[in-house]
């Protein structure tokens, strides 16, 4: 009998060469599936480690078509691919997950708010605005008011908390083109108790899986820490948040991961943001869950059975490592690893700039407060060379 070659495994193509694609590369290697990345530069985080890297521009339909031609499934590590390009790829016959119809609700915050409101999902009060008078009418004397870019914002960019009408007018003047194109919206300022997040996965076969609810700690619009599970969260509230994430994933037709960021308030939960990809609030799952968010996303977009999202330990804490003044982060490994050998360090191969996300650390164990202290100390040392920095 002659030997016959086995058919090759499917190839997932991820548009975007950032740290999310870099960490998805590692999960694809473990699963034994093909993985390619469309990166802007050879120095991009994922391009440094992904053998199947193609350089191109996600804003170019020609580049996207050339990339999609070598992939069985197309997915994303950011939300910025133009919607008409995604629709063109689908008309070409490409398998895009999540598809253009679902991704619209992460690319257009106003469309997301309107869709969630139509589903009866509680969100902050909102309205599109173009002029200062519209913002003042929306505020109705109750300040501050939050102004948001309808598209393109991330990590605090495209979000302005305005304490007065004068501050709102300044934002509108500075971003007049956005306002003219109905690219700004006003939201009520929510006096929340804390911020929560839930990751849910959904496959084309409509299988769903949901991770534990986590608490996120934000500073200057950047997620600094994630505590898993959210400390002291009432069981009923936890179940409500998880059910809500699964419901939104189903209603929006998501294939892949959905991250739902929420405000916990005395009156209940309010949905703040959505992302349809691996997410910063799920990095803890690499060590802290039986199936990492990166593997889960691959399983979902390939329509494989979803993995077990339960935790591997009672608690996990992730702290982002931000860039400091000294670019030689590797020189500080010796202290961090000797001081706490159980800390897991993940660096993204990115050039160090002050305040830029360049990596994260994760600690798993029993006590959230103790784990948070250890994670903060490690992240601080990697940034500043001292354990008590911010």
């Amino acid at each position: 009998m002659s030997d016959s070659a086995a058919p090759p495994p499917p190839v997932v193509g991820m548009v975007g060469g950032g740290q999310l694609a870099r960490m998805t590369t590692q999960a694809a290697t473990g699963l034994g599936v093909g993985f390619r990345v469309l990166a802007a530069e050879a120095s991009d985080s994922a391009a440094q480690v992904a053998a199947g890297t193609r350089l191109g521009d996600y804003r170019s339909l020609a580049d996207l078509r050339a990339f999609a031609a070598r992939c069985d499934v197309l997915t994303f590590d950011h939300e910025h691919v133009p919607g008409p390009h995604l629709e063109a790829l689908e008309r070409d016959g490409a398998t895009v997950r999540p598809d253009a119809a679902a991704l619209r609700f992460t690319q257009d915050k106003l469309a997301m708010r309107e869709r969630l409101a139509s589903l009866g999902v509680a969100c902050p009060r909102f309205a599109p605005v173009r002029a200062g008078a519209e913002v003042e009418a929306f505020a109705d004397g109750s300040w501050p008011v939050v102004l948001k870019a309808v598209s393109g914002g991330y990590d605090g960019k495209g979000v302005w908390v305005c304490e007065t009408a004068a501050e709102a007018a300044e934002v509108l003047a500075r971003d007049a083109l956005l306002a003219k194109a109905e690219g700004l919206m006003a939201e009520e300022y929510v006096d929340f108790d804390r911020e929560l997040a839930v990751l849910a996965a959904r496959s084309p076969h409509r299988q769903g899986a949901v991770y534990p609810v986590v608490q996120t700690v934000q500073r200057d619009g950047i997620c600094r820490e994630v505590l898993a599970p959210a400390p002291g969260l009432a069981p009923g509230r936890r179940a409500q948040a998880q059910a809500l994430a699964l419901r939104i994933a189903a209603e929006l037709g998501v294939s892949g991961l959905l991250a739902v960021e929420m405000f916990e308030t005395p009156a209940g939960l309010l949905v703040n943001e959505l992302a349809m990809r691996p997410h910063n609030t799920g990095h803890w799952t690499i060590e802290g869950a039986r199936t990492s968010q990166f593997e889960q996303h691959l399983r979902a977009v390939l329509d494989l059975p979803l993995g077990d999202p339960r935790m591997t330990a009672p608690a996990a804490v992730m702290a982002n490592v931000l860039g400091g003044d000294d670019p030689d982060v590797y020189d500080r490994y010796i202290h961090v690893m000797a001081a706490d050998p159980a800390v897991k360090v993940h660096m993204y191969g990115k050039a160090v700039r002050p305040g830029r996300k360049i990596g994260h650390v994760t600690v798993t164990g029993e006590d959230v407060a103790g784990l948070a202290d250890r994670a903060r100390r490690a992240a601080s040392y990697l940034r500043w060379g001292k354990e008590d920095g911010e």
Side-chain angles (χ1 to χ4, degrees):
M1 178 183 290
S2 61
D3 293 336
S4 59
V11 175
V12 176
M14 183 167 270
V15 178
Q19 63 262 29
L20 300 179
R22 182 186 180 104
M23 288 181 275
T24 308
T25 301
Q26 298 163 3
T29 299
L31 282 176
V33 300
F35 190 71
R36 300 184 185 278
V37 170
L38 182 66
E41 306 285 346
S43 60
D44 285 354
S45 180
Q48 298 172 29
V49 300
T53 295
R54 181 185 181 93
L55 299 184
D57 187 344
Y58 67 84
R59 296 163 295 191
S60 163
L61 180 56
D63 286 356
L64 289 167
R65 279 178 164 149
F67 181 63
R70 302 182 64 196
C71 304
D72 296 294
V73 178
L74 211 60
T75 191
F76 313 90
D77 89 336
H78 60 68
E79 292 86 14
H80 307 311
V81 179
H85 290 3
L86 297 174
E87 293 167 358
L89 291 171
E90 290 174 344
R91 288 194 297 271
D92 291 346
T95 301
V96 179
R97 292 176 179 160
D99 63 19
L103 279 167
R104 175 171 176 256
F105 299 111
T106 65
Q107 296 177 323
D108 184 325
K109 289 182 171 61
L110 182 59
M112 180 263 287
R113 284 280 183 261
E114 290 172 342
R115 178 66 173 132
L116 293 181
S118 74
L119 295 172
V121 174
C123 299
R125 187 171 62 89
F126 67 95
V129 293
R130 297 190 194 185
E134 292 178 327
V135 181
E136 287 194 64
F138 176 84
D140 194 23
S142 179
W143 297 87
V145 164
V146 180
L147 293 182
K148 287 185 176 181
V150 167
S151 62
Y154 66 97
D155 280 352
K157 298 177 177 66
V159 178
W160 303 269
V161 179
C162 301
E163 299 287 346
T164 64
E167 287 186 16
E170 182 181 343
V171 171
L172 288 163
R174 188 170 64 241
D175 295 272
L177 291 177
L178 272 177
K180 186 176 181 180
E182 296 185 311
L184 290 176
M185 56 185 282
E187 285 190 352
E188 67 172 315
Y189 182 84
V190 177
D191 188 16
F192 54 85
D193 295 330
R194 58 177 170 173
E195 295 182 75
L196 304 174
V198 189
L199 275 176
R202 184 174 180 270
S203 72
H205 267 104
R206 301 180 184 177
Q207 183 189 9
V210 64
Y211 287 89
V213 183
V214 302
Q215 178 179 338
T216 67
V217 179
Q218 312 277 336
R219 294 182 202 159
D220 301 320
I222 298 176
C223 177
R224 297 292 295 273
E225 299 170 12
V226 176
L227 314 179
L233 188 63
R237 182 63 55 83
R238 178 178 66 237
Q240 178 193 5
Q242 291 178 310
L244 183 58
L246 287 168
R247 181 190 167 210
I248 292 172
E251 294 282 5
L252 301 188
V254 175
S255 291
L257 278 177
L258 172 70
V260 183
E261 297 182 80
M262 306 175 182
F263 296 133
E264 184 181 21
T265 76
L269 298 174
L270 297 178
V271 172
N272 182 36
E273 298 285 354
L274 301 179
M276 297 179 190
R277 51 170 171 76
H279 196 257
N280 195 187
T281 61
H283 290 352
W284 65 271
T285 62
I286 297 173
E287 288 84 24
R290 299 184 184 187
T291 307
S292 79
Q293 66 162 344
F294 303 100
E295 179 182 335
Q296 195 77 293
H297 185 67
L298 289 171
R299 287 185 181 220
V301 300
L302 288 168
D303 209 10
L304 294 170
L306 299 180
D308 187 343
R310 287 178 296 173
M311 298 186 67
T312 57
V317 174
M318 186 278 305
N320 279 315
V321 178
L322 305 185
D325 300 324
D326 178 6
D328 190 5
V329 176
Y330 187 79
D331 186 58
R332 296 189 281 282
Y333 275 22
I334 228 174
H335 172 88
V336 169
M337 294 178 177
D340 194 341
V343 170
K344 296 296 184 180
V345 178
H346 297 263
M347 302 305 291
Y348 306 149
K350 297 166 77 171
V352 176
R353 294 199 297 264
R356 184 189 199 188
K357 286 181 189 173
I358 58 172
H360 74 268
V361 299
T362 303
V363 192
T364 61
E366 302 285 336
D367 172 58
V368 169
L371 296 176
D373 178 66
R374 290 164 59 193
R376 290 171 195 147
R377 289 166 62 187
S380 174
Y381 200 91
L382 290 168
R383 184 181 188 185
W384 301 115
K386 57 182 181 179
E387 292 187 358
D388 57 350
E390 282 294 316

